[in-house]
Amino acid sequence: MIGKAFLKELIDYPHRLSDLGFEEVSKILKSAKKDFENEYLLLEFNLRNPEKEIYVIGDIHGNLETLLELYDIIKAQNPEFVIFLGDIVDRGSKQLECLLFILTLKVLNPQRYYLLRGNHETLEINQNYGFYQEFLNRFKDPRKFIEISAVYNSLPICAVINSKILCLHGGIPQDIHILQKIKDIRTTDLSDIFESIAQSFFQIMWNDPKMKVKGFTDSFRGPGIKFFGEDVFDSFLKENNLELLIRAHECFPEGFRWFFQKRLLSIFSSTNYRGSFSPNPASYAVIRKNVIIPKIVNMKE
Ligand SMILES: [Mn+2]
């Protein structure tokens, strides 16, 4: 077990996350993994009090500065639940710190903070986009990365709020029945059904919405990845009795973007993702009374 006082200090003084030895890191990873192992692949949230809010946060990609700004907003506004849509690591300058900060929040308050799996919560992608190298530079031993992968493999993949609003990292998959297939399945039982849902999980983490596309078309992102149009988006919502979708995965210069008559909101929670010459503000979403309100993060200078 890891002491709560120690974890609270890490949240109050997050720059200490950069100095932790692997022994402490391992304790945080293992505790968080235990919490995720109590969850379901499809998280279901029901807000009984309509005044309560849920915050949904998009890609962080190692941007600790934006993450800490978001945490200040969370502290001030006190939402009931906070759902991160994945892609916490790769690319930025404080990748492990961002992952550990979110996992520490999870361990301190597992009924409040949730993390879904993004396409960067995978070793293969981390080997190409920086996190694996950052980890090796710090801890030297590639075998230690197994503990990171174990956390990834215990993450849920989507969340449904009040049976109306779906949250996931990338987009809807071609299999319209995927949500029924994973409903009530524990994260620990993923391997039992993996063959039948692997392609859908891959698409949930990688797909993108696209205006004026009909059906599913091939994405430039790579083999098996799809763009989806409004027609298949409609069918997916109808089949699953849903009204709205919040997803992340794409950075827009305006910070967030609505698609498909404001029924799909795309958010991204890392500022200046492509550097200061191509600036973008960070965004997040607030859900209140089943309405999605996009927000921009005002960064302190
Ligand atoms: Mn992504």
Side-chain angles (χ1 to χ4, degrees):
M1 269 301 285
I2 186 157
K4 281 214 163 186
F6 175 75
L7 294 176
K8 279 184 185 150
E9 288 230 338
L10 290 177
I11 297 300
D12 291 339
Y13 304 97
H15 294 282
R16 289 188 191 169
L17 291 165
S18 303
D19 304 320
L20 293 181
F22 190 73
E23 209 171 302
E24 280 82 35
V25 169
S26 169
K27 281 181 190 163
I28 297 170
L29 295 173
K30 286 191 173 118
S31 307
K33 177 170 161 269
K34 238 180 236 161
D35 288 321
F36 294 128
E37 284 174 346
N38 285 323
E39 295 179 352
Y40 292 87
L41 292 171
L42 170 66
L43 299 171
E44 294 181 79
F45 297 90
N46 289 295
L47 284 183
R48 282 182 195 89
N49 180 347
E51 298 302 320
K52 297 273 184 196
E53 294 178 335
I54 297 183
Y55 278 30
V56 185
I57 296 171
D59 297 35
I60 298 292
H61 284 303
N63 190 331
L64 186 63
E65 214 185 326
T66 312
L67 178 58
L68 295 179
E69 202 67 51
L70 279 161
Y71 182 64
D72 280 348
I73 299 169
I74 290 166
K75 271 193 299 189
Q77 302 299 320
N78 201 28
E80 186 85 345
F81 303 113
V82 178
I83 305 170
F84 288 90
L85 298 183
D87 280 17
I88 309 307
V89 297
D90 281 334
R91 292 199 171 102
S93 61
K94 298 262 190 264
Q95 304 171 23
L96 184 64
E97 288 86 344
C98 287
L99 182 64
L100 291 175
F101 188 83
I102 291 168
L103 297 182
T104 302
L105 290 174
K106 177 72 183 171
V107 174
L108 282 169
N109 213 332
Q111 312 294 337
R112 185 171 190 215
Y113 290 96
Y114 293 85
L115 172 60
L116 305 182
R117 191 168 186 173
N119 60 309
H120 284 264
E121 274 73 52
T122 315
L123 168 64
E124 292 70 38
I125 297 297
N126 292 165
Q127 283 172 327
N128 287 308
Y129 293 93
F131 182 48
Y132 184 69
Q133 196 55 50
E134 186 197 277
F135 184 92
L136 277 191
N137 291 346
R138 183 156 158 187
F139 299 117
K140 314 297 177 208
D141 183 354
R143 285 168 301 180
K144 292 193 166 106
F145 201 84
I146 290 167
E147 294 200 31
I148 300 274
S149 293
V151 170
Y152 292 165
N153 290 328
S154 64
L155 292 176
I157 189 90
C158 30
V160 173
I161 295 157
N162 297 336
S163 309
K164 288 184 200 307
I165 303 170
L166 178 65
C167 303
L168 45 71
H169 181 74
I172 58 161
Q174 286 172 289
D175 180 0
I176 204 166
H177 303 297
I178 184 65
L179 299 183
Q180 286 122 277
K181 286 181 188 164
I182 62 170
K183 191 177 159 64
D184 299 326
I185 304 223
R186 287 186 170 278
T187 51
T188 43
D189 295 333
L190 174 61
S191 52
D192 303 347
I193 57 158
F194 191 71
E195 288 293 305
S196 62
I197 51 92
Q199 198 206 354
S200 294
F201 270 37
F202 179 75
Q203 290 190 350
I204 286 172
M205 294 189 287
W206 282 96
N207 285 359
D208 298 295
K210 209 167 171 64
M211 325 272 200
K212 291 176 193 153
V213 150
K214 279 206 185 350
F216 288 90
T217 62
D218 287 343
S219 166
F220 61 79
R221 285 188 191 262
I225 304 169
K226 303 289 175 185
F227 290 121
F228 57 96
E230 188 165 9
D231 54 347
V232 285
F233 175 69
D234 276 340
S235 317
F236 191 91
L237 290 189
K238 200 172 280 173
E239 172 70 25
N240 293 285
N241 250 317
L242 296 165
E243 291 173 9
L244 300 161
L245 173 69
I246 305 177
R247 52 87 66 168
H249 194 43
E250 265 180 291
C251 178
F252 298 107
E254 67 271 37
F256 62 83
R257 189 171 287 181
W258 285 106
F259 288 77
F260 310 149
Q261 345 251 355
K262 285 200 162 185
R263 288 175 304 151
L264 185 159
L265 177 67
S266 192
I267 55 172
F268 198 86
S269 308
S270 174
T271 47
N272 300 336
Y273 175 64
R274 295 193 174 87
S276 50
F277 293 104
S278 174
N280 71 276
S283 65
Y284 62 102
V286 175
I287 299 169
R288 190 160 179 265
K289 296 179 179 169
N290 290 323
V291 173
I292 302 174
I293 308 147
K295 300 268 190 182
I296 291 289
V297 182
N298 294 306
M299 299 294 294
K300 287 185 212 89
E301 272 310 319

